[in-house]
Amino acid sequence: MKLKHNTETIDIKSRLPVVPLRDVVVFPHMIYPLLVGRKMTVNALQEAMIRDKQLFLMAQKSPSIEVPASDDLFEVGVVARVLQVMKMPNGTLKVLVEGLVRAETVRLAKTDNYLSARIKVIPPDAEQYDRETEALSRKVTEQFAEYIRLNRRIPDEVLVSVASIEEYTQLADTIAAHILHKIETKQAILAAYSIKEQFHILTDVLTEEVEILRLEQKIDGSVRDSMSRSQREMYLQQQLKAIKDELGQADDTSADVEDLLAQLASRAYPQRVKDKAEEEIKRLSRMHPYSAESGVVRSYIEWLLALPWEITTEDRTDFGEVQSILDGDHYGLDKAKKRILEHLAVIRLAGKVKGPILCLVGPPGVGKTSVGRSIARAMGRNFVRMSLGGIHDEAEIRGHRRTYIGAMPGRIIQALKKTESSNPVFLLDEIDKVGKDFRGDPASALLEVLDPEQNNTFSDNYLEVEYDLSEILFITTANTTASIPAPLRDRMEIIRLPGYLEFEKAAIAKDYLFPKIKKEMGVESVTMELRDDAVFEIIRYHTREAGVRELERKLSSVVRKTVLDMAKGKKVRRLAYNRTKVGKALGPRRYIDTDIKKQPTVGYAVGLAWTEMGGEALPVEVLPMRGKAKLTLTGSLGEVMRESASAALSYIRNHTKRFGLDDKFYEDIELHVHIPEGAVPKDGPSAGITLTVAMLSSVTGIPVRTDIAMTGEVTLTGDVLPIGGLNEKLLAAKRNGISEIIVPEKNRKDIPDLQPELLDGLTLHFVRRVDDVIKLAMTEAPQERHKRRTAHHATQHRPS
C-alpha cells in the first residue's frame, strides 16, 4: 500500500518483522525512543534494517511474558520505520522509531528466531468531518491543556506543539501519546477506527484524569497545611526519593557520599584535609548527581583523599648496603654517592631532616638521570621523575584553579599520588631548560617547591590545602648552570659530574653496558669477550662525547651483527670482539683527532675549549697581511670570543716596545684570525691567552710550541683570569697527546677535585700574567730577543 506521509510517499509492505512492546503503545505521527534487548526483538530489528527499515510494533497484554505468542499481543498495532540505532554500554540497543500508520494483524508467524506478521493497513478515517468533530477536537484540546497544567510530569512545551496541529487524526494521536494512563486505555484509542470515537474516548479519559488531579491537589494542600516543620521535610524527602526512583537516579548521590565518607574514615588524614573533605562532601550531597558541578566536586574530593597525606616509607640506614647498591648501579660519581651517605648519617642521628635539594650538573650521558633512580633504590624510597624541558606554563607546577573546565593539580601533586608516599626521591630533569611565556614563569613557581624553608606549606591552586613537601629528596639535573635563574640556583646544592675519562668509559662498557646489552638481546648464554683494544677503538674513533650514551649505541650495533648471524642459522658458542671485528661492524672511523702541527709554527697556538660533549683542542691560526689596521675574525666566533681577540690585540699594541715592535706596526697590516672547523659555533673568554700568543707570534715571527696547550682569559693589563670546565679541557689535551698545559693560577684550587688518573702524565703550568704564558709557549720570548738585539746593536756601535 502507498502511504502519503508528510511530503513523501512510503510503500508499506504487507509482511513485516514484529517487535513486541512492554508497557508502551506507539501511535502514528509520533517519534519514540525504544530500548531493545530481547533476542527475538533484536533479530526482528536486524531483519528490518536489512530490508526497508519498517517494523510492526504491537503492545503486549502482559509485560511479564518474555516470549509472547499471538494471544499475548493486541491485534491492532502501528507500522513504524527505524530512524536511528545506537548500541548502549550494557549491550542493549536504543532505537528511534517513527509511527506511520495503524494496521491490524491478519496472521502472526515465527520466522528465523523472530516474529513476523501479515498485516492489513487501517487507512486514516475517510468520514466527512463536521461541526461535531470540530467541537470534540476543541473540547479535547481544552481538557488536555488543563491536564498538563495539573500534571507536573508533562512539560508545558507539549501544548505549543499540539496547538500547531491542524489534522484531527494527528491531534488525537499526539494527545493520546502524551496521556499517562493504562496500556488498555491507550490501546482502545489506537484500535478506534473513526476520529469521533477516538475523541469520545479521549474526552472521557481526560475528564476523569482532571478530576483525579484536582482531588490530589486539594488533598496535598490540606495535608501540607496540617504538617509540622519536621513532617514537611520528611514529606519532601519522600517526594524527592520518589522522583529519583521514577527517573532511575535513586541513591546515586547518596551512594557516592557514603563511599567518600567511608574512604575518609578509612585512614588518618591531617585535620585541615579532613575539614575540607567533609565540607565538600556535604556540598556534593545537596547536588543533582548528573549536574556539571557535582562532577567537579566529586573529582576534587577523590583527588584530596587519594593523596598520600603523611604516608612515608622507611629509609635504609645500612651504609654498607647503600654503598653497594650505588656502586653496583654506577661507576664513579663519588661526590653524589658521598652526599647521599652524609644525608643518611644525619637522618640516623637527628631522626628527621629537611630534604636537601641536590643539583647534578654535567654533560649529556654521564648518568645524571639514572643516578636518581639508583639513589631511590639505595635509600628504599619510591622514585618519581618529572621532565621540565620545554615547560612554559606555571600551571604545570601549581595546577589550575577549580573554576576552569578540566582543571587538575600540578604535576608535583600528580606525581605524589602516583608514587603513593610523601617522601619519595623526586627527580626534576633538565631544570636548565625551563622556559617562560605569557602563561607564567615555571621557574618562579619552582622557587617554593625547592626551598626547604617554604615547601612544608606548598600551595597547589587546585587543592586549596597546603601540602608538606619538606620530606621529599629533590634531585635536579642540568647540563649547565648558566641558564638556571640565580634565585633558583641559590636554593640548590650543586654537584658537578664531569665527563668520563677513557679508562672510565672502558670500565663502564665492560662491566655495565656490555652485560646489559647481552641480556636485552637474549644472548646471555653465548660466551662473549670484549677486549680492551675493541673498547678503545669505539671510544676514540666512533664516539665523541663526555658520557656513554653513544658508546652504548655503538656496542649495541656491534652485538646486533652477531645476533643477526645467529638468526640466520650461524652457530656461535664463543666470540671475542677485537679492534678488527669492531671496525668491520661499525665501518670507517667517524672521528679523527684534531690535526695539530708537529713542529713549532709561527702564528699558530693550541687552545682548549669546553663543549657540552666534553672538551676539544682548539688550534688558533693568525696571518698578517698588507692592509690598513684591520682585524678579521673567522670561524663562527661568538661575541665574547671576538671581544677576547680585540683585548689581546690591544694588549700587544700597548706593549710594542717591550716586544720589539714599531709603534705604528698595526697601521700597515691586517691581521686575519681563524679558528678551524668554521661551521662549528665557538664562544667564551677562555681562548684569550691563546689568541694573544698566536697574534704576537704572527707579528714577531717567533714560532709557538705545538706540544703545549693553553686556556685562560686575558685582561687589557695582562692578567690571566680563571676558567671553567678544566676537567673536560685536560681530558681533550690528553686525548690529543698533549702533555703540557698552561692553566691560570686561580684554577689551582680545582686540582684536588680532579681524578688522579686524569692528571697522570700531565704537566700543569700555573700562570698569573701573559708574560708567563709567552715564556712557556713561544720558542723565544719577544722581550728577551729584543734585549739581545738591543745589546748586540749597542756592542757593534761602541767606539774603539
Side-chain angles (χ1 to χ4, degrees), residues 1 12-16 56 75-77 79 101-107 117-123 193:
M1 173 185 173
I12 305 297
K13 306 300 181 183
S14 60
R15 178 178 289 279
L16 293 173
F56 188 47
E75 292 184 2
V76 177
V79 177
V101 67
R102 290 173 171 79
E104 60 180 346
T105 309
V106 176
R107 184 182 175 188
R118 182 175 294 279
I119 61 170
K120 178 182 178 183
V121 174
I122 303 173
Y193 281 82

Side-chain angles (χ1 to χ4, degrees), residues 104 175 280 314 431 443 561 606 779:
E104 60 180 346
I175 293 175
E280 295 297 327
E314 187 174 346
I431 198 169
K561 302 291 191 298
V606 181
T779 56

